[in-house]
Amino acid sequence: MEQKTDLLSLLPHEMAAWFTALGQPAYRGRQVFSALAAGTQFSDMTVLPLALREQLTRTCEYRLPTVERKLVSREDGTVKYLFRLLDGACIESVLMRYKHGNTLCISSQVGCRMGCRFCASTIGGLVRNLLPSELYGQVIAAQADDGERISNIVMMGIGEPLDNYDHVVKFLHLVNREEGLNIGYRHISLSTSGLVPGILALARESFPITLSISLHASTDEQRSAIMPVNRAYPLKELLAACVSYYRSTGRRISFEYTLLAGQNDSPEDARRLADLLKNAFRGTGAPLHVNLIRVNEVAETGFRRGSAESANRFMELLNRQGVVATLRRRLGADVNAACGQLRRSQMQQEADHGGTD
Ligand code: SAH
């Protein structure tokens, strides 16, 4: 069978070229780009002649994820989506409602190969990268399902975005286009476990997105024990890459620090963390910001969640040393199984029932 065109992965000018090659006017590219961004199926694109709609249905794919499960928080309206992709794989996205607008947390891969010890998403390893259309499709599908505009994106779901670099960069272009969702780069954050070549490459693209680094430790020994990526890119290299990212983009970097009770949450850890960041960024003028998260307990990993008081003490110690720290508010606590757990429970269920097909 001939491969169908993944139309949703194409930018407006690429789509225009594709339609021109088909003998169609170039403006069809922009029309179809806008219609796909609005969640419209080929058969419903009434701006197109009927024959063209039928031709697109036959020869193209609209790689929009479908809602497999949806959990809505009764506390704050947070929505956790389990999306199913065309090949049957499942991923998660989370819609959070803030005063400054709706934020969607999206996945970048099916599974993950980074192996962070506390994380549920990496337990089964990496299955595959998401296509640009499947990254973009999460935003389109969530917005179409919810009915409210999504104005912010965080790439903090399943997967390591910089391990899927080219598709992620393409996605950033797609979601930013004003003919489509028109989401500004400043409203997008990307979180990485610390793939240094990816951080340096991103610095050269000069997208004004916000970069978040999953630090979670203040010594190489501590970090390598919970994040294998640290053996390839130790703290010194990672922080040097962060400094060069800051120098070339002028964008503040945010450091994520997951508090693991009894492992990295002592007053001594807080002091060392503050020193580490201050030393690395000395003379750059960069504001330092640490985002603290109390670990979400994942049965398979055995890490424990400490008390709110101890997290607050850790935060105050950082603040007192001139490092701005915030404790992440937990949205949708009643639906907030740790990222990756909904997908895992679905996979388990399907294995028990002999798969989906
Ligand atoms: N791979 C990317 C993005 C996905 S994870 C990264 O590592 O940054 C998003 C954030 O959640 C990361 O900071 C990650 O370390 C953190 N995280 C993963 N599992 C967690 C858990 N069980 N509890 C709290 N934070 C967790």
Side-chain angles (χ1 to χ4, degrees):
M1 204 179 77
E2 211 172 298
Q3 183 126 35
K4 292 187 169 190
T5 304
D6 172 17
L7 222 45
L8 192 60
S9 282
L10 301 184
L11 285 162
H13 71 275
E14 294 169 327
M15 230 183 256
W18 189 85
F19 277 102
T20 310
L22 222 58
Q24 290 284 333
Y27 65 79
R28 294 278 181 235
R30 182 192 289 246
Q31 285 179 325
V32 172
F33 185 87
S34 298
L36 292 176
T40 314
Q41 298 291 337
F42 299 127
S43 54
D44 296 330
M45 293 183 186
T46 47
V47 290
L48 306 179
L50 184 60
L52 183 57
R53 276 181 257 164
E54 288 171 351
Q55 186 179 0
L56 295 181
T57 307
R58 264 195 327 275
T59 60
C60 298
E61 264 167 3
Y62 184 22
R63 285 196 155 262
L64 202 61
T66 52
V67 180
E68 177 70 28
R69 286 177 68 191
K70 178 178 166 183
L71 305 176
V72 183
S73 164
R74 270 181 235 148
E75 292 168 16
D76 51 36
T78 297
V79 186
K80 187 146 192 171
Y81 288 103
L82 183 72
F83 280 127
R84 194 177 286 282
L85 305 173
L86 286 195
D87 68 350
C90 285
I91 51 168
E92 293 173 25
S93 312
V94 183
L95 177 60
M96 294 162 287
R97 302 178 199 283
Y98 294 103
K99 278 195 220 71
H100 61 265
N102 294 320
T103 297
L104 190 71
C105 174
I106 67 165
S107 294
S108 54
Q109 296 178 310
V110 181
C112 182
R113 59 177 178 151
M114 304 315 292
C116 301
R117 302 276 184 258
F118 44 82
C119 180
S121 306
T122 197
I123 293 172
L126 176 67
V127 178
R128 67 175 177 85
N129 279 330
L130 293 184
L131 295 165
S133 53
E134 293 169 328
L135 295 161
Y136 185 30
Q138 294 171 65
V139 192
I140 298 171
Q143 182 167 287
D145 178 77
D146 189 67
E148 279 185 29
R149 176 172 147 80
I150 290 168
S151 51
N152 299 272
I153 293 171
V154 295
M155 306 196 76
M156 287 195 183
I158 296 169
E160 167 50 55
L162 297 183
D163 190 35
N164 184 16
Y165 187 86
D166 293 343
H167 290 173
V168 164
V169 166
K170 184 75 181 277
F171 158 71
L172 293 173
H173 286 295
L174 286 165
V175 81
N176 177 250
R177 294 305 302 230
E178 59 184 33
E179 302 93 322
L181 297 183
N182 194 17
I183 299 181
Y185 293 125
R186 287 168 199 281
H187 297 268
I188 302 177
S189 310
L190 184 152
S191 177
T192 178
S193 57
L195 290 177
V196 165
I199 295 170
L200 296 175
L202 207 55
R204 286 192 294 273
E205 312 267 359
S206 60
F207 287 118
I209 60 169
T210 301
L211 187 63
S212 289
I213 305 290
S214 297
L215 199 60
H216 307 329
S218 54
T219 67
D220 278 321
E221 194 190 358
Q222 216 180 29
R223 193 163 191 267
S224 293
I226 52 170
M227 301 180 72
V229 64
N230 194 67
R231 289 188 212 124
Y233 306 108
L235 285 171
K236 196 160 173 233
E237 272 180 56
L238 174 59
L239 292 169
C242 291
V243 168
S244 87
Y245 184 87
Y246 176 73
R247 286 217 162 100
S248 54
T249 63
R251 299 286 294 160
R252 175 190 85 143
I253 295 180
S254 149
F255 292 92
E256 306 288 314
Y257 194 95
T258 294
L259 293 163
L260 308 163
Q263 308 258 339
N264 67 355
D265 65 343
S266 70
E268 184 56 35
D269 288 307
R271 275 188 286 273
R272 229 181 8 235
L273 176 61
D275 284 344
L276 179 72
L277 294 177
K278 284 197 294 193
N279 287 334
F281 283 89
R282 181 152 293 139
T284 63
L288 295 173
H289 183 254
V290 173
N291 204 353
L292 299 169
I293 315 135
R294 282 191 292 150
V295 69
N296 283 311
E297 292 183 2
V298 175
E300 292 91 329
T301 68
F303 288 101
R304 279 185 313 104
R305 187 175 168 88
S307 67
E309 294 73 46
S310 131
N312 277 319
R313 273 200 301 277
F314 198 95
M315 177 173 77
E316 276 161 26
L317 275 174
L318 290 176
N319 283 330
R320 238 184 278 154
Q321 288 174 93
V323 172
V324 176
T326 48
L327 186 57
R328 195 186 289 173
R329 194 159 61 95
R330 216 171 163 213
L331 282 183
D334 50 338
V335 295
N336 196 19
C339 177
Q341 285 188 323
L342 194 55
R343 170 172 172 262
R344 273 185 65 69
S345 77
Q346 180 75 21
M347 281 164 69
Q348 230 122 42
Q349 218 172 315
E350 284 169 14
D352 293 345
H353 294 87
T356 43
D357 35 296

